[in-house]
Amino acid sequence: MTNIGILGLGHALPERKLTNHDLEKMVETSDEWIVTRTGIKERRVAQKDEKNSHLATAAAKEALKSAGLSADKVELIIVATISPDSHFPSVACLVQKAIGAKKAAAFDISAACSGFLYGVTTAKQFLASGTYKNALVIAAEKITNLIDWNDRSTCVLFGDGAGACVLGETKNGGGIIADYLHAQGQYGELMEVKVTEREPFDQESKITMLPYVVMQGQELFKIAVNSMAEAVEIAVKRAGLKLEDIDCVVPHQANDRIISAVAKKLKVSKDKIFINIQKYGNMSAASIAVALYEAEKEGVIKSGDHVALVTFGAGLVSAATIVKW
Ligand code: ACO
C-alpha cells in the first residue's frame, strides 16, 4: 500500500504582537496571572484588513514551495477554520483563487482546534482511495475577530495565525501510520460562538448578541486533559506502537498546564513535548500546524522519528495522528 505523508510545511503569522503587558492596559489582568495560568507571554493579532484567507494563502505558498509542488497541480484544498473571512465563499475557494490552483476541489471544515488533524485525516482518505494524488491542508484563524476584548477570561488566551501542509505519496518509508477522530457533542455549550439570529421577515430587527467566544474554562480544562490523553493512547495502539516509541508529541497549544497534565497522565517526559504557546497563545486550528512547522524547522523532529500529533477543541472534538517522519 502507498505511504501517504507530509511533503512540505508552511506557516504565516501576523506581524502585530500583543504582549501580556499590553493587555494589562486593556483589562484587569497581569502578566504574572496569564503566565502562571496559561504559559502565554504574547500572541499575534491580525490587522483589520489582514484576513484569514491572506494568512492561509501565505502558509499555503510556503508549504507548496517546500514540497516542490506547483499550484496548478494541486488536486484538493481543505481549510480548517472557525473564523473565516465570510460565511461563503469558503476560505479554501479564496486560497484556490489566490494561488491559481485551477484544477483543485476546495472546501472548509469546522472542527475548532482539532480542525487541522480532521483536515489531514479527511485528505488522507481521498489520497488512500486514489481519488486525488495530492492535497493542501491549511489551518487558518483570525480568531481575534471573535473575541470580546472586555472579557479578561477569554481575551488573554487567543491569537491569529496559519499553518499548512502538502500531503502526498512519500518515498522514504515515512508517512501517516494511524489516526483517531472523536467528538463529544454533549459538551458543546462549554465553548461557543453563537450566530446572530434575526427575524427573517423583519429587516428592522436588532442584533441582540454579538458573536463572541464564551467559555467555561475549568470544565473544558478537565475534559481536555482526559480527551487528549485518550486520543494519543488510541492512535498509538492503532499504529501498533507503544508510548515509549514516540519520539516527539506535538499537542494543541491551549494552555501549558493542560499540556503538563496530559504529559503526566501519559507518563511522557515533558522534554518530548513541543511547546510554543508562550509566543502565540491559542490559535485554534492553526496552533498545531504552526507548532509542527516550528518543531521541524528547529530540528526537534528528525527523519525516522515517530511523532504524535494531538488536539482538542470546541465541539467538543479531539483527534490524534501518528506520523513516521
Ligand atoms: N486575569 C486575572 N484574573 C483573571 C483572568 C485574567 N485574565 N481571567 C479570570 N481571572 C480570575 C477569575 O475571575 C477568577 O477570580 P475569582 O477567583 O475572584 O472568581 C480567578 O481568576 C480564577 O479563574 P478561573 O477561571 O478559575 O482560572 P483557571 O485557573 O481555571 O484558569 C483558564 C482559567 C486559563 C481559562 C483555564 O481554565 C483554561 O485554560 N481552561 C481551558 C480553556 C481552553 O482550553 N479553551 C480552549 C479549548 S477549545 C479551543 O481551543 C478552541
Side-chain angles (χ1 to χ4, degrees):
M1 207 174 125
T2 317
N3 278 353
I4 292 153
I6 294 171
L7 307 180
L9 291 163
H11 81 312
L13 296 158
E15 292 232 336
R16 178 163 62 181
K17 283 182 189 169
L18 187 73
T19 66
N20 292 348
H21 296 295
D22 295 329
L23 279 162
E24 284 172 352
K25 294 174 203 141
M26 296 164 62
V27 288
E28 204 184 320
T29 191
S30 66
D31 175 57
E32 196 268 331
W33 191 96
I34 302 170
V35 172
T36 317
R37 301 281 175 138
T38 71
I40 302 165
K41 292 190 174 136
E42 59 186 37
R43 69 287 293 139
R44 303 297 178 93
V45 179
Q47 305 282 348
K48 193 177 174 197
D49 58 355
E50 193 175 17
K51 294 183 186 294
N52 177 318
S53 62
H54 300 160
L55 296 169
T57 299
K61 283 182 178 169
E62 189 184 10
L64 287 173
K65 194 169 172 210
S66 124
L69 183 70
S70 60
D72 59 338
K73 297 219 164 49
V74 172
E75 298 187 4
L76 173 66
I77 302 171
I78 298 178
V79 175
T81 188
I82 50 167
S83 52
D85 296 17
S86 46
H87 286 301
F88 53 83
S90 65
V91 177
C93 284
L94 297 173
V95 171
Q96 179 201 23
K97 181 181 166 200
I99 65 174
K102 289 197 172 144
K103 245 173 61 176
F107 62 90
D108 288 0
I109 59 168
S110 171
C113 310
S114 285
F116 184 64
L117 295 188
Y118 264 66
V120 165
T121 301
T122 304
K124 192 198 81 179
Q125 307 304 325
F126 280 109
L127 304 194
S129 68
T131 309
Y132 300 121
K133 288 195 181 58
N134 63 61
L136 181 56
V137 181
I138 306 160
E141 301 287 11
K142 188 176 175 179
I143 198 159
T144 58
N145 244 353
L146 303 176
I147 298 302
D148 176 353
W149 290 97
N150 296 311
D151 176 6
R152 68 175 181 174
S153 71
T154 52
C155 75
V156 302
L157 302 175
F158 297 97
D160 301 325
C165 72
V166 173
L167 292 182
E169 188 181 343
T170 56
K171 308 276 188 201
N172 64 352
I176 296 169
I177 316 174
D179 31 45
Y180 170 72
L181 304 180
H182 187 53
Q184 300 171 84
Q186 70 272 26
Y187 297 126
E189 287 177 2
L190 295 183
M191 182 171 173
E192 53 187 0
V193 178
K194 294 236 192 262
V195 295
T196 45
E197 296 289 354
R198 304 181 84 173
E199 168 54 52
F201 310 111
D202 177 7
Q203 293 300 315
E204 301 300 312
S205 68
K206 294 223 167 48
I207 295 172
T208 52
M209 201 179 147
L210 289 169
Y212 290 146
V213 169
V214 287
M215 189 177 86
Q216 294 176 41
Q218 281 192 357
E219 291 307 308
L220 276 170
F221 192 109
K222 286 177 233 153
I223 302 166
V225 174
N226 290 332
S227 302
M228 286 171 87
E230 187 184 37
V232 173
E233 279 170 344
I234 293 172
V236 165
K237 199 168 171 203
R238 284 184 180 177
L241 298 171
K242 297 207 167 69
L243 278 166
E244 307 85 90
D245 301 322
I246 300 298
D247 300 291
C248 180
V249 180
V250 182
H252 172 49
Q253 316 275 319
N255 184 323
D256 187 49
R257 286 191 298 140
I258 292 179
I259 296 171
S260 296
V262 172
K264 199 170 161 202
K265 210 167 167 63
L266 291 173
K267 299 190 183 74
V268 171
S269 151
K270 213 174 163 195
D271 58 19
K272 277 192 173 181
I273 302 191
F274 188 80
I275 297 171
N276 64 358
I277 190 173
Q278 67 283 2
K279 296 188 282 182
Y280 308 122
N282 181 349
M283 297 183 287
S284 184
S287 270
I288 193 166
V290 173
L292 184 61
Y293 173 91
E294 291 195 341
E296 208 226 10
K297 270 275 173 293
E298 291 170 20
V300 176
I301 299 175
K302 297 170 288 301
S303 181
D305 279 356
H306 286 114
V307 182
L309 307 170
V310 59
T311 55
F312 161 86
L316 298 174
V317 278
S318 47
T321 304
I322 310 297
V323 186
K324 184 166 180 213
W325 212 254

